[in-house]
Amino acid sequence: MTYVVKPWIGGKAVDGKGGTVDIDNPATGEVIGTLELVSPEQVEEAIELADKAQKEWRNKSIPKRQEVMYKFRQLVMEDIDNMAQLSVDEHGKTLSDARGEIQRGLETVEYACNIGANSKGQYSYNVGTNVDLKVIRQPLGVVAGIVPFNFPAMVPMWMFPLALATGNAIVLKPANAVPSAAFDMAKKLKEAGLPDGLFSLLPGDNQITNVIIDNPAVQGVSFVGSTKVAKLVQKRAIEAGKRVQALGGANNHAMVMPDADQEFVAKWLAAAAFGAAGERCMALSVAVAVGEAGEGLAEAVKKQAGQIAIPGQGNDEKAGFGPVISKAAQERIISWIDEAEKLGAKVILDGRKHKVEGYEGGYWLGPTILEDVPLEAKAYCEEVFGPVLLIQHRDSFDEAIELMNRQTVGNGSAIFTNDGGVARRFEHEIEAGMVGINVPIPTPVAYHSFGGWKDSLNGEHHIHGPEGVEFYTRAKAITSRWPSEDEVHDATLSFEKED
Ligand code: NAD
């Protein structure tokens, strides 16, 4: 039996007038649902309602806005397994990974529950005689969120809790392959008491992204996705005079120093490269082994990879990771492995022919390890976004960091070492926005901000945490004078008196 997911406009599900697309289960390759898309007119309607609702919402007290977030958090906690199941079915995640994603998203909700403390202004007393200055932060108005397929719940939660808690309305365009988690959150926001119109869900084709960005009422655009689209979105938003944060793709490298414990390194490399089928923007794609660190490293990771079970649907408790998102993604990844092999890479572990009994139609790939991959191979110079780890060798720290800093992207990066001095040099020299020291996936907790460098982030603001609050608000500096009796009656106007 299949289901239908609809757009959410004005606090309710509505019929989509922009056609439909199928929703697949990547574990089986079967169509499990239909997504109704919005028409451009429906985007206009949703933004008009958002604009109207925001004008009242921005005047609500901080406790009232926080209360919605507290209730929303409670509703998600009570229903976390059902929510996680939506991503198991549509994305192919394992149940524990899907649950973990929601929990990470809830960190931002918790930050929004405390928005009073987290959006405090500034005050300077007596900057002149009887003159004070305060800086307050006010919401932008209507903002937009455009999100990728790989975190159906968490990435939306990087955006809407802070946007709403700071007094904005938000329209969200989900990724069409995985709309149900966002739809479920729309219902929960309503149940939590969010007034109608403040949150809309606008599934649509690529053109809908542009219609959203171009609408004059939209003041800010948060985007998370591939670098190619991030750049398009950034350009379009800037041309339309909008504030924009467009987080892009990655190609994360880890340096392995000879003093690091090989078993520890191999365990974490396997987890960070193959976990979530490599479909994380913080997945580790390349290990750069320095000198003797490379001896036996590929075999050690292969041994770890051998312990990862891929038994089928993510509900199986033994499942280490699931399928990739689509047949197209599966075919692209296989073709990039083929090309790397042709160019001379050694295939240490080959996941290209991985089959799962009972799930023959699914988009499966097993863990794959390639060694000494020529730098011109797509598997090296592009983002693979699949369960593939490359192991490269360099003779020194300098050569390794030179290789790593050649990347045009700079999302996450890590080093494995027991030498504090080397680690400190690494954190100073590496060109990436998030750095791990013996931590392969250094995703900051949500009371800090998340974002890469270079082409991994297009725009000034990182997402969530303090920079998220800054992004969704603008500062206003107010200078006020409350003159004394003497000053009121002093007819002399003089700059000297302003001491
Ligand atoms: P994507 O760029 O293909 O799509 C992202 C969103 O943009 C989707 O909603 C999609 O419908 C829309 N879109 C796609 N093409 C468009 C176009 N030409 N014009 C307008 N809108 C368009 O990304 P994806 O494949 O869904 O997600 C995977 C990518 O996201 C990877 O590159 C991954 O690294 C990146 N990602 C980055 C972060 C980060 O924090 N930097 C986090 C998660 C994912």
Side-chain angles (χ1 to χ4, degrees):
M1 210 178 64
T2 62
Y3 55 87
V4 177
V5 182
K6 289 177 178 288
W8 184 272
I9 297 175
K12 58 180 189 298
V14 299
D15 294 339
K17 297 180 182 156
T20 60
V21 291
D22 288 341
I23 304 169
D24 277 7
N25 179 343
T28 60
E30 284 163 9
V31 174
I32 51 173
T34 303
L35 173 66
E36 293 183 7
L37 307 178
V38 291
S39 65
E41 293 72 29
Q42 287 183 296
V43 173
E44 307 300 333
E45 185 199 336
I47 293 173
E48 214 178 299
L49 290 172
D51 196 32
K52 219 162 127 199
Q54 192 268 340
K55 292 200 163 56
E56 283 190 30
W57 179 242
R58 71 179 176 199
N59 296 327
K60 294 272 184 232
S61 67
I62 286 174
K64 283 257 174 320
R65 282 185 259 134
Q66 289 185 163
E67 199 183 320
V68 174
M69 290 300 136
Y70 274 111
K71 283 193 183 147
F72 175 75
R73 178 183 178 277
Q74 189 60 29
L75 290 169
V76 173
M77 295 288 287
E78 284 164 8
D79 194 35
I80 193 163
D81 283 344
N82 290 327
M83 277 184 75
Q85 186 64 43
L86 301 172
S87 294
V88 172
D89 294 343
E90 294 183 353
H91 178 287
K93 282 177 192 265
T94 64
L95 193 59
S96 65
D97 191 27
R99 243 193 248 121
E101 177 204 341
I102 296 168
Q103 266 150 357
R104 290 304 310 254
L106 282 180
E107 287 178 13
T108 299
V109 178
E110 284 153 14
Y111 195 74
C113 287
N114 201 15
I115 200 65
N118 290 330
S119 62
K120 278 194 298 214
Q122 300 164 350
Y123 199 94
S124 295
Y125 184 67
N126 234 26
V127 295
T129 308
N130 291 328
V131 177
D132 305 327
L133 182 134
K134 63 185 172 194
V135 180
I136 62 169
R137 302 205 69 91
Q138 293 188 307
L140 299 183
V142 181
V143 297
I146 297 149
V147 295
F149 79 83
N150 65 323
F151 288 111
M154 182 185 76
V155 173
M157 283 197 266
W158 282 0
M159 300 174 182
F160 71 76
L162 287 189
L164 293 171
T166 51
N168 299 279
I170 183 164
V171 295
L172 190 85
K173 198 200 93 50
N176 291 344
V178 292
S180 289
F183 185 81
D184 186 71
M185 291 192 286
K187 288 195 287 187
K188 287 186 166 61
L189 282 169
K190 182 166 173 114
E191 202 182 333
L194 187 77
D196 293 347
L198 291 173
F199 180 91
S200 316
L201 193 64
L202 306 176
D205 58 20
N206 295 346
Q207 193 47 33
I208 288 299
T209 304
N210 296 337
V211 176
I212 293 172
I213 297 171
D214 292 348
N215 188 295
V218 170
Q219 301 293 318
V221 179
S222 298
F223 172 89
V224 176
S226 62
T227 292
K228 187 178 130 233
V229 184
K231 284 184 175 301
L232 292 174
V233 164
Q234 184 199 28
K235 185 165 181 284
R236 193 154 187 130
I238 287 175
E239 276 168 12
K242 311 286 165 80
R243 181 177 291 202
V244 57
Q245 53 179 182
L247 282 76
N251 190 3
N252 305 315
H253 287 42
M255 191 187 292
V256 184
M257 296 302 290
D259 65 345
D261 180 86
Q262 191 170 79
E263 205 183 324
F264 175 84
V265 172
K267 184 176 80 180
W268 284 110
L269 285 180
F274 309 132
E279 290 176 323
R280 293 176 175 139
C281 65
M282 292 293 277
L284 264 187
S285 310
V286 184
V288 186
V290 174
E292 289 168 10
E295 287 173 19
L297 182 61
E299 285 305 319
V301 183
K302 182 176 173 180
K303 197 168 148 209
Q304 293 292 337
Q307 294 174 25
I308 302 174
I310 316 171
Q313 189 84 11
N315 295 76
D316 192 317
E317 294 218 333
K318 293 190 294 300
F321 64 84
V324 294
I325 189 70
S326 63
K327 182 123 199 89
Q330 184 197 37
E331 286 171 358
R332 173 186 56 75
I333 296 163
I334 290 173
S335 76
W336 287 8
I337 299 169
D338 292 346
E339 186 213 34
E341 187 178 25
K342 239 181 247 153
L343 289 170
K346 286 181 241 159
V347 181
I348 305 294
L349 181 63
D350 190 349
R352 282 173 286 191
K353 297 211 166 70
H354 190 86
K355 292 272 175 293
V356 179
E357 215 185 303
Y359 293 87
E360 285 74 13
Y363 317 132
W364 301 99
L365 286 168
T368 297
I369 302 171
L370 304 175
E371 196 171 20
D372 294 325
V373 181
L375 301 191
E376 68 274 23
K378 287 203 185 68
Y380 178 75
C381 56
E382 307 261 348
E383 182 183 28
V384 175
F385 229 53
V388 181
L389 177 70
L390 278 53
I391 298 183
Q392 307 290 73
H393 298 266
R394 287 296 179 269
D395 289 336
S396 65
F397 178 99
D398 287 337
E399 285 179 27
I401 203 136
E402 194 271 332
L403 178 71
M404 295 167 92
N405 283 344
R406 283 168 43 140
Q407 303 301 308
T408 54
V409 284
N411 216 35
S413 196
I415 185 168
F416 290 95
T417 181
N418 287 317
D419 184 327
V422 169
R424 195 167 185 282
R425 190 177 158 204
F426 181 82
E427 68 188 31
H428 184 66
E429 292 184 20
I430 191 70
E431 293 173 9
M434 294 167 282
V435 177
I437 312 289
N438 298 316
V439 173
I441 301 194
T443 305
V445 288
Y447 39 94
H448 291 267
S449 299
F450 179 108
W453 279 15
K454 307 204 253 186
D455 282 351
S456 294
L457 176 68
N458 303 272
E460 299 309 315
H461 290 89
H462 290 203
I463 208 158
H464 69 56
E467 291 194 42
V469 172
E470 266 181 36
F471 183 78
Y472 292 123
T473 56
R474 54 190 140 208
K476 187 181 271 178
I478 301 160
T479 307
S480 44
R481 168 184 284 126
W482 298 103
S484 65
E485 275 290 293
D486 289 352
E487 284 173 294
V488 171
H489 299 296
D490 182 353
T492 335
L493 261 185
S494 149
F495 286 111
E496 282 82 63
K497 292 201 169 177
E498 291 287 343
D499 56 352

